[in-house]
Structure formats: C-alpha cells, structure tokens
Amino acid sequence: MLLVISAPSGAGKTTIAKEVLRQFPSFRFSVSATTRKKRPGEVDGKDYFFLSREEFERLLSEDGLVEHEEIYSEYYGTPKSEIDKAVTMGENVVFDVDVKGALSIKEKYPEAVLVFIRPPSVEALRERLKGRGSENAEQVERRLARVPMELEKGKLFDYIVVNNKLERAVKEVFDIVSMYSSKGDSGKELLNGTETN
Ligand code: ADP
Ligand code: 5GP
C-alpha cells in the first residue's frame, strides 16, 4: 500500500503519520529531500534528507525524484529510491507530502491511496501552528495563505479525515489502512468521496 497523507501545515499529518508507523510495523516512512532548515529534534536521513539547493538541483537533474514542489520558497521532493527500496523489500509506504505532490504520486502510481487531513477550521490551524512554535508569525501567515488551494485540491483525494479530536482522526486513518490490508481495493468503494469524521 502506498499511503499518501497530505494536509495544510499544522493540521496534524505528521502526528497521524507517526501513529500509523507505530501501529503498522509493515509501513516505512518515505523520507523526502528538502532544502528547508532542520527543526530542533529533526534527524537528517530520518525526518528528511536535508540538502543544499545545489545538492537538491543535482538530484533533480539526475532524475532522482518522483515529484518535487517549491513550497514556502524551499524545495521538497520524494526520492525515487524511497519507493524502489520499499517495492524491493515488499513494504508498505507512508508519504507525508503536500497536496500537489500527492496528486503527482497518484498520477505515477494510480494504486496510491490519498488521505487528506482537514483541520476543523483555519483558526484552529493558526492556533496549532503557533502552539508548535517552529515558525515565526510571518511564516505562520505564509503557511495559512496556501490553505484555500490545499482545501480545494483536497477534494480530489480518496478520503478526507477531519482532525478535530486527534484519537478519532487517528482511528479513522487506521480504519482506512486496515481496510486495504484486509480487503484490498474492494474496501475503497465503501468510503470513497465521503467525509469520514
Ligand atoms: P503537520 O505535520 O500537518 O504540519 P503536526 O502533526 O506537526 O502538523 O501538528 C501541528 C501541531 O498541532 C502539533 O503541535 C500537534 O501536536 C498539534 N495537533 C495535532 N493534532 C491535533 C488535534 N487534533 N488537536 C490539537 N492539536 C493537535
Ligand atoms: P514542513 O516544512 O512543515 O516539514 O513541510 C511543509 C510541506 O511540505 C508539508 O505540506 C509537507 O507535507 C510537504 N512536503 C514534505 N515532503 C515533501 C515532498 O517530498 N514532496 C512534496 N511535494 N511536499 C512535501
């Protein structure tokens, strides 16, 4: 299963993706490449491959990325090697990418399952971003400016999970994963196009 989780920044996708990885040992995380600076606690090669602009551009010119986007003036991209490794090992993969990257992955891998994590409101999003404390006020506003586009593209996803109460949102994502594990594609018809929270 290629599970692609996207959301506006601060909606909780990293928190939810980590829970999936904890609960389902057959999943590995697709480590993206980025030119953005490392946040406290982040580990190179685990959270991201932190690259210089030159290194990122070299990877791109060598056709080493499945998709890439420039977001908040930084590059982010999914290395091909992350998918190749998982396919070789017969593992499932969780991707944490932006909405455009998710749709690009779906174009190349139509079997990918796209889950959009929606915040209960823009105000809640602002509060969560402030609470996380990893962006300054200007960066928070830049992230919020992208939300209307993200909500629009999110409508194209296979599933929309509203992250109001975290435990409930996590359970809904677990249910989606379990459905694919146990029933394959047949389970998708049950929820496709519906909001699950
Ligand atoms: P993203 O990866 O989408 O940018 P994070 O997972 O980093 O978002 O979550 C942003 C912040 O919101 C974090 O501080 C996280 O602990 C908090 N958070 C996540 N889900 C909820 C929730 N349902 N209610 C309140 N706070 C939440
Ligand atoms: P952050 O800086 O908060 O870690 O991530 C900012 C945005 O970049 C998030 O929406 C995140 O999902 C997205 N992102 C992370 N890795 C990738 C990637 O490989 N490709 C794309 N398109 N977006 C990514």
Side-chain angles (χ1 to χ4, degrees):
M1 179 183 188
L2 302 178
L3 174 68
V4 186
I5 302 185
S6 295
S9 181
K13 69 186 165 308
T14 308
T15 309
I16 293 171
K18 283 191 174 152
E19 289 299 320
V20 171
L21 289 163
R22 238 161 38 107
Q23 179 75 14
F24 297 92
S26 66
F27 275 83
R28 66 189 306 280
F29 180 63
S30 165
V31 182
S32 294
T34 185
T35 57
R36 88 140 159 76
K37 288 204 171 59
K38 210 193 290 180
R39 289 183 192 137
E42 285 184 329
V43 177
D44 190 22
K46 184 166 171 274
D47 296 291
Y48 280 105
F49 295 110
F50 294 97
L51 305 181
S52 66
R53 258 187 125 74
E54 294 69 36
E55 288 169 328
F56 193 99
E57 280 162 2
R58 194 175 325 125
L59 190 58
L60 189 57
S61 69
E62 289 166 353
D63 200 24
L65 297 171
V66 178
E67 59 76 35
H68 76 285
E69 296 291 335
E70 194 167 352
I71 308 166
Y72 322 124
S73 308
E74 300 291 351
Y75 285 134
Y76 293 82
T78 305
K80 277 189 177 159
S81 54
E82 290 300 291
I83 297 187
D84 292 345
K85 258 187 270 175
V87 170
T88 309
M89 309 281 287
E91 289 171 328
N92 299 308
V93 191
V94 179
F95 300 83
D96 171 344
V97 300
D98 89 307
V99 284
K100 291 184 184 168
L103 294 168
S104 302
I105 291 174
K106 182 92 174 176
E107 252 174 51
K108 291 193 180 158
Y109 300 90
E111 72 275 25
V113 177
L114 270 46
V115 177
F116 184 71
I117 307 295
R118 219 180 67 185
S121 67
V122 175
E123 249 340 283
L125 200 57
R126 191 189 302 272
E127 288 313 309
R128 285 181 197 173
L129 279 172
K130 281 189 193 162
R132 189 169 70 185
S134 50
E135 286 82 24
N136 63 32
E138 189 207 322
Q139 288 166 331
V140 167
E141 293 311 316
R142 277 182 88 181
R143 282 171 184 249
L144 291 175
R146 217 167 176 264
V147 174
M149 179 280 287
E150 293 171 320
L151 294 176
E152 204 46 44
K153 294 248 188 267
K155 292 180 187 161
L156 301 171
F157 278 44
D158 297 306
Y159 302 98
I160 298 173
V161 171
V162 180
N163 181 15
N164 188 7
K165 292 248 186 304
L166 181 62
E167 307 80 70
R168 189 167 159 189
V170 166
K171 186 185 176 301
E172 290 187 6
V173 176
F174 282 3
D175 286 348
I176 294 168
V177 173
S178 304
M179 203 158 52
Y180 279 84
S181 313
S182 59
K183 295 187 195 158
D185 273 346
S186 62
K188 193 171 162 184
E189 301 303 320
L190 298 172
L191 283 173
N192 199 4
T194 63
E195 295 200 9
T196 61
N197 193 354

